[in-house]
Amino acid sequence: MAMNITGLKAYKEIQSIVTPKETQATEAPVKGQPKEGFAQFLKDAIHDVNNVQATAEDRVEGLITKKPGYTNHEAMIALEKADIAFQLMNSVRSKIVRAYEEILRTQV
Amino acid sequence: MFDASEVVTAGLSAARLRINIIASNIANAETTRTPEGGPYKRRDIVISAESAPTSFQSSLDEMTLAKPQVLGVIADQSEPKKAYQPGHPDADPDGYVAYPNINVVQTMTDMMAATRLYQANVTAAKSLMEMSREGRRISSTF
């Protein structure tokens, strides 16, 4: 389901960050050049969620201004999607922050 | 490629359009005059199942998901009902008025079916969203 895609994408991204893929091992490691950072990934995920929310906003706005072609069920489904996408994104974010804090607590 | 929520949305839109058409049919059950001439003609919608366009990864989706798409609204071409009303302005030379060939009782039944169809789609949409929420609960920490 596409409503899960933003979350799913985030999950896959995390997977690729946490567990280095075999394909990456075959690639020549470039030192000093970090690949697309975690911050970028989080930004992208938030951007995706934002897009879903913008769609929902548009649907609701069209509905309340009685634009032709805007229906209540469409608006409601868009709203639900936005809500789920946001919650999913937030869950992933909290999970990541938790992991980061866990690492910070490592005894040196 | 489209997803289940899009299919449900299309289903809801189709059911809604069907109810609109039925409302129009009931409202015009006694309409004897139209801009194009003759009595109002009963309208109906044609829905076709549209499957997802072939994409690289989703041949399974293509098999499972079919989106109802309204192809168009058609006018029933059956003979109008004739009633003998010589004084009516729309009466023909023999004194018969052509009324739309609409069976109001049958149309009401159709409307009930369309309403149930809409409700069924709403239920499907609801459980779809509920599933997404439930899926999030797998992560126990939140």
Side-chain angles (χ1 to χ4, degrees):
Chain A
M1 285 179 290
M3 73 196 70
N4 281 346
I5 277 180
T6 42
L8 206 68
K9 207 172 126 197
Y11 174 73
K12 276 182 183 161
E13 289 272 355
I14 293 164
Q15 282 264 299
S16 67
I17 289 169
V18 175
T19 57
K21 284 181 196 158
E22 279 110 56
T23 48
Q24 283 172 337
T26 56
E27 283 168 16
V30 187
K31 285 199 174 160
Q33 269 192 353
K35 63 186 180 81
E36 227 180 56
F38 168 68
Q40 185 58 41
F41 138 71
L42 199 62
K43 235 184 233 173
D44 286 351
I46 292 170
H47 190 71
D48 284 348
V49 173
N50 189 46
N51 279 346
V52 181
Q53 283 181 344
T55 313
E57 204 175 312
D58 171 65
R59 292 279 177 277
V60 173
E61 197 188 312
L63 182 70
I64 57 177
T65 54
K66 286 221 161 188
K67 271 194 211 163
Y70 285 81
T71 53
N72 50 1
H73 57 257
E74 220 186 355
M76 287 304 142
I77 287 178
L79 271 179
E80 272 306 278
K81 268 187 183 178
D83 184 37
I84 291 165
F86 177 78
Q87 286 183 4
L88 215 53
M89 189 267 288
N90 204 30
S91 295
V92 173
R93 185 207 66 98
S94 311
K95 200 89 169 162
I96 292 159
V97 169
R98 200 171 285 245
Y100 178 69
E101 284 171 352
E102 206 73 48
I103 287 165
L104 272 190
R105 263 184 249 124
T106 311
Q107 297 277 330
V108 187
Chain B
M1 184 201 153
F2 47 74
D3 62 351
S5 74
E6 269 180 70
V7 173
V8 170
T9 311
L12 283 163
S13 297
R16 195 183 142 95
L17 184 63
R18 188 180 281 284
I19 292 170
N20 285 349
I21 294 278
I22 288 170
S24 165
N25 284 344
I26 292 176
N28 287 298
E30 304 273 312
T31 304
T32 54
R33 197 181 291 190
T34 49
E36 56 269 17
Y40 173 87
K41 289 190 169 67
R42 194 177 64 86
R43 302 207 174 128
D44 210 348
I45 55 171
V46 184
I47 300 171
S48 128
E50 180 207 335
S51 51
T54 320
S55 76
F56 183 66
Q57 57 164 7
S58 65
S59 55
L60 188 65
D61 281 356
E62 202 187 339
M63 290 299 290
T64 24
L65 295 171
K67 189 159 80 173
Q69 194 174 25
V70 178
L71 287 186
V73 178
I74 51 160
D76 179 22
Q77 296 301 332
S78 64
E79 277 296 300
K81 284 189 280 191
K82 298 268 186 178
Y84 185 66
Q85 286 179 318
H88 197 285
D90 289 326
D92 62 5
D94 299 330
Y96 284 94
V97 180
Y99 280 100
N101 193 7
I102 293 172
N103 183 340
V104 180
V105 177
Q106 194 194 335
T107 313
M108 286 296 287
T109 328
D110 287 349
M111 191 174 71
M112 282 161 69
T115 311
R116 294 285 178 269
L117 186 65
Y118 191 88
Q119 287 173 349
N121 274 294
V122 168
T123 309
K126 254 186 164 173
S127 51
L128 205 60
M129 299 300 166
E130 203 52 48
M131 268 169 69
S132 298
R133 283 180 200 285
E134 286 296 309
R136 202 177 61 88
R137 284 184 46 218
I138 293 172
S139 173
S140 57
T141 37
F142 307 107

